[in-house]
Every structure is written in structure tokens, then in C-alpha cells.
Amino acid sequence: MTRSVLYGPAVDPDGTEVLGRYEEWVRRTPDAPAVLDGPHSWTYREIDAAADALIRAWGSRVRPGDLVGVCLDRSAALVVTAVALARAGAVYLPLGPRPGERRLAAVGEDVGVSCLIGAPEVLPAAHRAAEHLALPLPGSGVNAAAGAVAAFLPPAPGAHPAPEGALYAVLTSGSTGRPKAVAVAEAALAPLLAWYRRETGVGPGERQSLLIGVAFDPHVLELWAGLTSGAALVPAPDAVRWDPAALVDWWRAAEVTVAVTATPMTEPLLDAPWPQDLALRQLVVGGDRMRRRPGPDVTAVVHNAYGPAEATVITTVHTMRAADADAHQDAPPPIGVPLPGGGRAGDGLGGPGRTARRGRRTAHRGRPVGAGVPGRRADTGPVRHDARRGR
């Protein structure tokens, strides 16, 4: 796995695992809720047993290193699938319930996707006609799809495999607009999750949102943040992703305590009187430039997060509280400081030219500056993976 230069604090040595931390919670609190979806709930024991049943169902058809496209929405079925793929050593490629045939076809020409998992009716035409294996996945929940299958097609000639050690992959448009897959290792995601757990305090008894669209990389942060902390994941109905008022109503009804959401959904809420009856304590916001700061009535801590998918979801964060001295400033908040171990770059798949750049603040003539000193972001050079040459 090609990695970037690290400019954040050192990585916590206890934060180097993802699957292992989840399995620790299965052992410690097997009867605690892992997924709460309206009237439906699944314990850590039940999610884990379902993951093992899924692995038994596909047998040798899904092997370590296989890239598996998952066309499921936010649900217990999605959580079970992510855990099963991690345990099997396969690579989780979240595509969402409507992946788009052109997008998937373009990716399939470059990347060796071994199978797609989803309801047959949402799969692309070629996979609808392919060999199907019925999967024993939970069928309940607000976004659940009944009758999910694994659809197997041989990879396209010349398609590239996932890099060794990859935990998940996400699609990005890249500079050309053509979809590209970026693979991320467990060792790159684990420090981010350790920071998230420490900063938000998410843990047993908490409710972590499962809100972000499945095809976007912050979804992976939400999912594993809940599972590695002993918290309960709460899948959001799709409608609340597009309506700030509906989002607040859902936060309230679902008693969400820690959430990740998109900047365009958050800023209108910061402009309005903040609801005082929410259980929400921590709100991680990203996806666009943030232009507003939380006012004095905002009861949640707001984290302005920045980072490209190639650098594992988040690289810098600026944390804001209502009691901060600058809470009333009109100036947009900064992008903040690097995370511990922050910004390990992912490997690009599908040929040369997948480049991730790391940033640091510089002053006169490009010299690095210390924390708290005004500066500008400067690229520190390319981190390149040439899948064609195996580098």
C-alpha cells in the first residue's frame, strides 16, 4: 500500500485495528444493540452470526482479495455484508442501491469486480442475467431490500485486482471525470476511527448515525465508527438526506447522539434557531466548504472536516463549540489541523495516474509553519500507485 507523508501527531498504537475492535465488542457486549432501525433491532451477537452465515453461504466463491461491489442501502443487511467481507479478507466496494450502469461499466473495464451483492432488480442488466446466489441477509428496516443475491460475472480482460491488504474501496470521479476506484487499507482507516472515538466520545449506549450515501467514503467512517465503539448504528430513511427540517426530526425521533452529515444540509440549521431538545452531542460535517460557524445556541460540538477519498476520508478538522471566543465571527471556519496519522493515501486502481497529494501550511517561500501561524496549503508532492506495473 502506497502511503503519504504524515504531518499529524503520531498514531495511537491501540488504534491500529478495525475488524479486531468490532470483534472485541461482540465478545464484551454481545447483547448490546448494534443496529437500531425503527422497530427493528439487531444485537452485536446477531450481526456477527449473520456475517458468519453469509460467509458460509458464498463459500469459496468470495476469496481473500476479491473486490465485491455492494448495491445495498443503509440497513442491517449492509452492515452484515461489510463485516462478512472484512472477515473473509475481501474488499468492500460500496456502490449504493442504484449504482448506474454506465458508471459501473466504466469501473468494470479497469477494476476486477468479482461479484455484485444486491436485490436482483437494482443490478445492472449484465448482472441481472448472470449466475445468482441467494444470500441469507436481514430483510427488515427502512431501506432494506428483500431477496438480496450475489451476482457473479468474470472480470473484464485486463482488469486490475485490488492491492494486497485493502479493506475497502470507493469510486471517485478523478480529474478526467471517468470513475476510478481508490483502495484503502485497514492500517489507514484505523487511526481515523481512533481519533473519531476519542474526539466524539462515541461508545456503548450511544447512537451513531448511518446517514451518508453508501457510495461516498464518509459512509465507511460512520459504519465502522459505530461498530468499533460498541455503539448502535441508526440507518436513516433516504428522505432525510435532502431536507434539513426532516433531518432534525429524524435526529430527534431516533435519539441520535453522534452524526456525520454533509455541509449543505448543516449550514441552513446553523442559520436557524437550534433545536434544544436533541440528544445530538457531536456533529461531523464535510463534503463542501463551510461558510458558517455554530452560534451560541448550538448544543452540539461541530467538527468542520476536510479530506479527499484518496487520503482516507478526513485529513484535517477544525472543532467548534458554542462557547468558543470566535463563535460570533462572520468569517468562514478554517479547515483545521491534521489528524493523528492523518492522510494515509489510498492505492489507485485501474492504471497509472492515480495520484494523492498531501498538504501542509507554508509561509514565505514555501517554508513550513507551526500550529497557530497563518499560512497557506501547499502540495508536498505526489503519492503514486501504478496498478499496471504493480507498484
Side-chain angles (χ1 to χ4, degrees):
M1 175 68 69
T2 302
R3 294 183 176 89
S4 67
V5 177
L6 304 182
Y7 286 95
V11 175
D12 179 354
D14 293 331
T16 56
E17 285 192 343
V18 177
L19 182 64
R21 286 194 67 93
Y22 153 76
E23 292 175 336
E24 180 181 342
W25 287 110
V26 174
R27 291 189 294 269
R28 289 173 59 181
T29 59
D31 297 320
V35 179
L36 295 172
D37 193 342
H40 310 285
S41 66
W42 292 263
T43 66
Y44 273 81
R45 188 200 312 271
E46 290 168 335
I47 291 293
D48 205 59
D52 283 342
L54 187 57
I55 293 171
R56 289 193 298 271
W58 66 46
S60 61
R61 301 297 302 273
V62 175
R63 298 163 298 180
D66 281 355
L67 195 64
V68 177
V70 181
C71 305
L72 299 170
D73 211 341
R74 300 171 304 278
S75 60
L78 181 72
V79 175
V80 168
T81 302
V83 170
L85 291 172
R87 182 166 291 160
V91 183
Y92 175 59
L93 174 61
L95 298 170
R98 294 170 290 277
E101 296 202 23
R102 289 184 181 179
R103 182 174 172 84
L104 198 57
V107 173
E109 293 174 4
D110 296 330
V111 179
V113 178
S114 63
C115 75
L116 294 183
I117 292 177
E121 62 271 17
V122 307
L123 299 179
H127 286 83
R128 288 198 297 271
E131 177 191 354
H132 287 182
L133 173 67
L135 299 177
L137 285 168
S140 303
V142 66
N143 304 311
V149 301
F152 295 90
L153 278 180
H160 302 277
E164 184 179 354
L167 176 69
Y168 74 92
V170 291
L171 300 187
T172 68
S173 60
S175 58
T176 65
R178 179 181 174 84
K180 299 287 185 180
V182 174
V184 178
E186 182 177 29
L189 180 62
L192 173 62
L193 296 173
W195 166 84
Y196 187 97
R197 292 189 299 268
R198 183 171 56 253
E199 189 69 23
T200 66
V202 65
E206 300 277 344
R207 298 188 179 196
Q208 166 68 54
S209 70
L210 194 58
L211 170 70
I212 299 297
V214 172
F216 299 95
D217 60 316
H219 152 74
V220 180
L221 169 62
E222 282 190 302
L223 187 149
W224 285 110
L227 294 178
T228 61
S229 66
L233 290 167
V234 187
D238 201 54
V240 311
R241 293 180 54 223
W242 316 108
D243 183 345
L247 177 60
V248 169
D249 289 342
W250 176 72
W251 280 341
R252 181 183 296 112
E255 300 180 315
V256 172
T257 57
V258 182
V260 178
T261 189
T263 307
M265 289 290 288
T266 305
E267 289 192 322
L269 302 178
L270 299 180
D271 277 342
W274 186 261
Q276 298 299 299
D277 59 347
L278 299 179
L280 188 68
R281 300 185 301 97
Q282 301 277 337
L283 181 60
V284 180
V285 182
D288 202 349
R289 182 186 179 191
M290 198 168 184
R291 294 172 173 81
R292 297 171 179 82
R293 298 171 185 252
D297 64 334
V298 176
T299 54
V301 177
V302 180
H303 307 271
N304 180 31
Y306 166 80
E310 293 88 344
T312 316
V313 190
I314 298 175
T315 54
T316 65
V317 171
H318 178 68
T319 297
M320 298 172 284
R321 297 171 175 83
D324 290 344
D326 60 357
H328 298 283
Q329 287 188 8
D330 292 331
I335 62 173
V337 297
L339 269 58
R344 296 193 178 192
D347 278 348
L349 306 179
R354 301 297 301 124
T355 301
R357 290 184 177 269
R358 302 295 299 118
R360 58 178 174 179
R361 288 180 303 157
T362 62
H364 182 58
R365 295 181 180 174
R367 290 193 296 269
V369 298
V373 180
R376 61 185 298 179
R377 182 182 183 278
D379 285 332
T380 60
V383 178
R384 188 180 300 272
H385 170 80
D386 190 336
R388 216 170 38 185
R389 298 174 185 169
R391 292 203 295 260

